[in-house]
Amino acid sequence: MNPATALATVLVDELVRCGLTDVVLAPGSRSAPLALALHAESRVRLHVRVDERSASYLALGLAKRSERPVALICSSGTATANFHPAVIEASESGVPLLVLTADRPPELRGTGANQTIDQMKLYGTATRWFAEVGVPEDRPGQVAYWRSLACRAYQRAAGAGNPGPVHLNLAFREPLIPDGDTGWCEPLDLGAGGPWVRTRVAPPPIALHIPPTRRGVLVVGDGAANVRRYVAAAGMAGWPVLSEPNGGARYGDHAISAYHYLLGTPEFADAHRPDVVVTLGRPGLSRPLLSWLRRAGEHIVVSPDLDRWPDPTRSATQVAQAVEIPVASGDDSWLHAWRQADLAARAAMDEVLDLSGTSEPRLARDLVDALPNGALLFCGSSMPIRDLDQAMRPRRGIRLMANRGASGIDGLVSTAMGAALAHNGPSYALLGDLSFLHDQNGLILGPREPRPDLCIVVVNNDGGGIFSLLPQSAVRDPFERVFGTPHGVDLAYVAAATGTPYTLVGDVGELPKALRGEGPRVVEVRTDREENVLVHARLRDAAQDAVRAYLAG
C-alpha cells in the first residue's frame, strides 16, 4: 500500500472511532487519498461541494447545530485560503471544526510548484491547535502516531469548555490513489472498538454562589450554555430574563421581549438598575442593553472557558464557570415592574407592526409566530437578527441560530444548509438580499448529495438596509452607491439557475402558505429601505411613549 493511502485510511478510521459522523469535501487532486478513503467509509455522511468557501460554511453549520466536530477537507493552494472566513467564525463562536488541508511535500515548497503555497499555521490564532502531520512513510510506528494525532485533534476541536477549529496540514507524495497492494509494515486495521486514546471528562465546576436578591437580571446572548437551568433559576429568584433571539431564553413568563426599547428609555433604565446582572454568552445586538450593562454595579459573566470570557462592555466584575442563583424572599415588585413595562411596550409595538404592511420587523415577528414546534430558524447576521431581537414575541418550541461570532454576512446560505442537515425537523432561514447573493453558491447541490429541508426567506430591499439606520445615512451624496449598494438582481433567476423552487410573497399575510414545502426552497419578500427606516422610528417612539406612560402611572 502506498503511504498516502495508508495515512488517509488510518486517519479516517480513527476520527470515526472518536465520534466523527459528518465530513465536507471540496474536490481536488492532492486531497485524493482522503477523498477516496471517505467515499469508502460507510460510517460517515459525506457532503461534497464544488466551492471551498461554501463547503467550509456548510461544515460550520453542521457542527454548530450538532455541537460535534465536523471534518472539512480540501486540496492544496488557494483552496485552503477559502476556508479562512469560516475558520474565523468557528473560532469566535466556539464551533468544533476539524480542518484537514492537503499539501505538497516539503521538496516542492518554495519552488514555484503548481498549487503550492505556505500552509504552515495558515489560519493563525483562529485555531485551537495546528499540526504539520508530515509526509507518511512506510515504517513501523506510523500507525500509532497517526491514531494518537487524530484523537488529539478531535478532542481539541470538541474542547472542554473551549471548542473550536483545529488544523491538520497533510503533505502527500505521489502516488495519491490506491495501487492495489494492501500490505503494510504493521497492522492498519484495529477491528471493532473505541478510539486509540480515551479522554476523561472533567467534573462539573464549582459554582459561584450569589447573595440572594430580588433585584437581579439574567442576560442571555449568543453562544450561551446551560440556558434552561439558568432560566429556571432566574424564575425561582424572581429575575427578569433579557435574551437575544439566538440566546435561546426568550420564553416563559420572565422573558422581557421589548428590553431594547425599555433600556432605550432613559427614565426606565435609570430607575431599574439591578443589584446584580448575570450574563450568559455574548450579548451584542442591542446598543441600549450594552450601554446599560456598562453601568451595572455587579456584573457576573458565566463562561465555561476562563481563558476566553466574553465581556464586550468591559463591565465584568467577576467571571465564573458556573453560578448559583439562589431563591430570594420578598415581594415581586421588581419583576412586576419589568413585566408591566414590557407588556405596555409590546402592545404599542404590535399595533405599529400590524399597520406597517409588509415591513421587515413585522416579517420577522410573523415568521417566528408561523413556524411549527421543533423548527430551526437560522438568522442573517445583519438586519434579520436585529429585527428578530426587537420584534420577536416570546415563544417555546423553536431553535434560533446565527453566525454572530464575527457577525459576517458571508457563507450564510451554506451555514443554514449545514445546520438544516444536522437538525431533526423542519428548518428555515431569514436572510437579507446581500447575504443571499454573497453565498448563492450555497444553493448548488449535486444529485447525490444529502438535501436539507430548508426554506430560505430572503428580505430583498435591493441593497444594504442596515446602513440606512446608521450614521452613514446622513452622507447623502455618496450613500446610495457606497453604502446602499443597490444590485437590481432578480432573485427568481438566481433560484432558477440551480433548480431551487421559488416563491414571491407580495403581502405578509401570504407568508404561512409560502413557507410550505419540502427540500431547499426560496421565498422572497420585497421591502423598501426608506420605508423601513420610518417603521423602525415609529416602533421606537411608540414603545418609549408606552413605557413613559406606564412609569407616569
Side-chain angles (χ1 to χ4, degrees):
M1 179 180 295
N2 68 60
T5 299
L7 167 56
T9 301
V10 171
L11 192 67
V12 168
D13 179 66
E14 191 58 43
L15 289 174
V16 171
R17 289 171 180 273
C18 289
L20 186 72
T21 59
D22 283 273
V23 180
V24 181
L25 169 72
S29 175
R30 191 57 53 164
S31 54
L34 291 167
L36 295 172
L38 284 164
H39 189 267
E41 178 53 74
S42 62
R43 294 171 293 174
V44 297
R45 185 169 57 159
L46 178 61
H47 312 265
V48 180
R49 294 295 185 274
V50 298
D51 168 20
E52 282 83 9
R53 189 179 68 177
S54 179
S56 64
Y57 277 102
L58 181 79
L60 178 80
L62 280 161
K64 191 177 184 75
R65 178 62 188 91
S66 67
E67 299 179 352
R68 301 177 63 171
V70 170
L72 174 63
I73 297 171
C74 72
S75 188
S76 63
T78 58
T80 63
N82 280 293
F83 284 174
H84 205 161
V87 171
I88 290 173
E89 175 62 32
S91 178
E92 293 299 319
S93 55
V95 176
L97 279 186
L98 282 164
V99 184
L100 310 180
T101 56
D103 200 356
R104 259 55 178 178
E107 62 268 21
L108 293 182
R109 299 173 187 173
T111 67
N114 188 46
Q115 286 188 300
T116 306
I117 66 171
D118 184 0
Q119 297 177 198
M120 297 299 99
K121 297 189 176 181
L122 179 65
Y123 309 117
T125 58
T127 57
R128 301 293 186 265
W129 185 55
F130 166 80
E132 163 73 348
V133 177
V135 179
E137 300 175 5
D138 187 359
R139 62 179 176 83
Q142 291 277 275
V143 172
Y145 166 50
W146 297 335
R147 288 193 181 274
S148 62
L149 182 79
C151 291
R152 186 184 298 271
Y154 188 92
Q155 291 304 328
R156 288 295 294 271
N162 185 25
V166 163
H167 178 200
L168 299 183
N169 195 55
L170 298 115
F172 293 119
R173 287 193 181 102
E174 295 181 348
L176 301 174
I177 62 174
D179 53 13
D181 182 8
T182 59
W184 190 253
C185 62
E186 58 184 343
L188 294 177
D189 187 12
L190 293 182
W196 184 266
V197 179
R198 300 178 188 273
T199 56
R200 185 177 67 87
V201 178
I206 299 174
L208 170 68
H209 286 260
I210 302 174
T213 177
R214 280 282 184 174
R215 295 179 61 86
V217 173
L218 178 65
V219 174
V220 186
D222 184 67
N226 300 317
V227 171
R228 290 189 178 276
R229 180 169 74 84
Y230 283 104
V231 170
M236 296 293 289
W239 292 11
V241 177
L242 282 52
S243 176
E244 295 181 349
N246 46 319
R250 191 174 290 196
Y251 63 87
D253 295 337
H254 291 221
I256 307 299
S257 64
Y259 70 83
H260 175 80
Y261 297 108
L262 268 59
L263 299 179
T265 307
E267 299 91 329
F268 183 91
D270 292 341
H272 293 81
R273 294 188 180 183
D275 295 334
V276 60
V277 175
V278 172
T279 298
L280 310 178
R282 183 179 67 174
L285 293 175
S286 170
R287 291 188 178 183
L289 172 62
L290 295 176
S291 177
W292 183 74
L293 281 177
R294 290 188 184 97
R295 296 182 288 159
E298 181 74 4
H299 179 195
I300 301 173
V301 172
V302 180
S303 175
D305 175 27
L306 296 183
D307 292 329
R308 293 169 56 91
W309 70 81
D311 182 23
T313 58
R314 297 288 186 184
S315 58
T317 54
Q318 295 190 74
V319 180
Q321 289 179 294
V323 166
E324 189 69 35
I325 301 175
V327 176
S329 58
D331 63 52
D332 61 353
S333 58
W334 170 253
L335 177 62
H336 180 75
W338 281 88
R339 291 179 63 183
Q340 292 303 116
D342 185 59
L343 288 172
R346 180 85 258 168
M349 292 162 55
D350 284 337
E351 183 176 355
V352 170
L353 291 178
D354 290 342
L355 297 174
S356 67
T358 306
S359 68
E360 294 179 22
R362 181 179 179 182
L363 173 65
R365 183 198 67 177
D366 291 2
L367 174 62
V368 173
D369 289 348
L371 297 185
N373 285 335
L376 168 72
L377 176 60
F378 181 83
C379 318
S381 304
S382 189
M383 276 311 299
I385 189 64
R386 288 176 170 83
D387 280 333
L388 284 165
D389 188 42
Q390 296 170 26
M392 174 185 164
R393 292 185 276 232
R395 71 156 291 182
R396 300 177 187 268
I398 61 171
R399 176 76 175 266
L400 287 100
M401 299 175 63
N403 282 353
R404 291 292 299 173
S407 302
I409 69 165
D410 44 346
L412 297 187
V413 173
S414 299
T415 308
M417 289 276 190
L421 284 165
H423 182 68
N424 184 23
S427 299
Y428 305 84
L430 179 63
L431 306 179
D433 50 320
L434 294 188
S435 297
F436 178 75
L437 292 172
H438 204 295
D439 189 31
Q440 56 188 292
N441 275 7
L443 296 177
I444 300 174
L445 289 170
R448 298 176 61 182
E449 299 308 308
R451 304 182 72 82
D453 182 8
L454 174 66
C455 178
I456 303 173
V457 180
V458 183
V459 184
N460 185 4
N461 54 34
D462 194 28
I466 192 170
F467 294 110
S468 298
L469 298 168
L470 296 176
Q472 288 91 330
S473 61
V475 189
R476 297 305 304 172
D477 185 41
F479 176 81
E480 189 66 2
R481 184 180 181 191
V482 300
F483 295 110
T485 58
H487 50 79
V489 175
D490 190 330
L491 302 189
Y493 287 108
V494 174
T498 55
T500 306
Y502 165 88
T503 302
L504 175 64
V505 169
D507 182 87
V508 72
E510 303 169 5
L511 183 64
K513 181 180 179 180
L515 295 176
R516 299 172 192 162
E518 295 181 352
R521 55 204 188 276
V522 173
V523 171
E524 179 186 358
V525 182
R526 294 174 184 168
T527 61
D528 180 84
R529 278 188 272 131
E530 292 187 5
E531 177 60 24
N532 187 48
V533 173
L534 299 176
V535 171
H536 277 87
R538 290 196 293 268
L539 266 179
R540 181 193 62 239
D541 293 344
Q544 292 184 346
D545 287 347
V547 172
R548 292 188 178 103
Y550 161 72
L551 292 173

